[in-house]
Amino acid sequence: MPVPKNYSIVEFQEQYRKPVIALWQACGLTRAWNDPDKDIDRKLTDRNGGFFVMLFRDPATENDTVIGSVMAGYDGHRGAIYYLSISPEHQGSGCGRQLMSHCEAYLIDLGCPKINLFVRKDNEQASAFYEGLGYTLETSLAFGKRLIPDD
Ligand SMILES: CC(C)(COP(=O)(O)OP(=O)(O)OC[C@H]1O[C@@H](n2cnc3c(N)ncnc32)[C@H](O)[C@@H]1OP(=O)(O)O)[C@@H](O)C(=O)NCCC(=O)NCCS
């Protein structure tokens, strides 16, 4: 499925840092215990993953605006997706589906056989979105241990 007119998907560059963090804030993805700047710095050390940004080109001004982002990773066994976000005014236009299909193609290309991803329990919108894309709820429990505190 081609990316719709006026939208493009590019690799993250430093110039997108501030708008990407603003996007995460607008989408309700930031938490006090996750420093978004540090999360971006850490992602940039990942040599086996991708960090993609979706841009919208305003046809009147020809200016590009960051309207989406996603981190994809592959640990040699499973793929992971983090920080998928589409700005509220562009939601519902197929952008999230496009970014996910971009990540899936990227991970398949790396030889990644399966994606595991987390959705916060109260995020019904994201659960419905992923189910619509063919993701199924798994029965495994997710365990975590914080190694480096951000707050
Ligand atoms: C979740 C999110 C990325 C979806 O992006 P989007 O661009 O709005 O989604 P799309 O327009 O590509 O929708 C793709 C499909 O999912 C469905 N969908 C999207 N949001 C939905 C919702 N709230 N309820 C039910 N279905 C939904 C659409 O109907 C569409 O199906 P269709 O193609 O058959 O019509 C976006 O809503 C978002 O950024 N949310 C806030 C941040 C967030 O929660 N991120 C996920 C973290 S786990």
Side-chain angles (χ1 to χ4, degrees):
M1 190 199 299
V3 178
K5 197 172 177 296
N6 298 322
Y7 293 91
S8 57
I9 298 174
V10 298
E11 299 253 3
F12 175 86
Q13 295 172 28
E14 270 309 319
Q15 70 190 95
Y16 303 133
R17 181 181 288 258
K18 273 193 182 166
V20 162
I21 293 174
L23 171 71
W24 293 351
Q25 286 163 342
C27 286
L29 291 182
T30 49
R31 291 293 182 275
W33 54 90
N34 292 326
D35 180 324
D37 256 315
K38 287 183 182 163
D39 279 352
I40 289 178
D41 291 340
R42 289 173 185 134
K43 184 60 189 172
L44 297 178
T45 69
D46 177 8
R47 281 167 292 166
N48 205 9
F51 186 8
F52 305 110
V53 167
M54 192 169 223
L55 302 175
F56 174 71
R57 176 158 293 186
D58 183 328
T61 63
E62 302 225 323
N63 286 335
D64 285 328
T65 310
V66 171
I67 63 99
S69 85
V70 65
M71 291 177 178
Y74 178 46
D75 60 16
H77 182 59
R78 295 292 182 247
I81 298 290
Y82 291 100
Y83 280 118
L84 175 70
S85 44
I86 300 296
S87 71
E89 55 279 26
H90 291 266
Q91 287 178 11
S93 334
C95 296
R97 180 187 283 278
Q98 285 292 336
L99 264 185
M100 283 302 293
S101 121
H102 187 83
C103 289
E104 288 174 7
Y106 174 85
L107 291 169
I108 289 170
D109 209 43
L110 290 176
C112 168
K114 183 180 179 230
I115 292 174
N116 287 337
L117 56 83
F118 294 100
V119 175
R120 291 190 180 114
K121 251 186 183 172
D122 60 353
N123 194 346
E124 289 167 17
Q125 176 197 32
S127 294
F129 166 79
Y130 286 121
E131 276 169 13
L133 265 57
Y135 288 75
T136 52
L137 190 60
E138 305 253 314
T139 53
S140 308
L141 297 179
F143 283 77
K145 180 181 180 183
R146 188 90 204 185
L147 300 178
I148 304 173
D150 277 2
D151 48 355

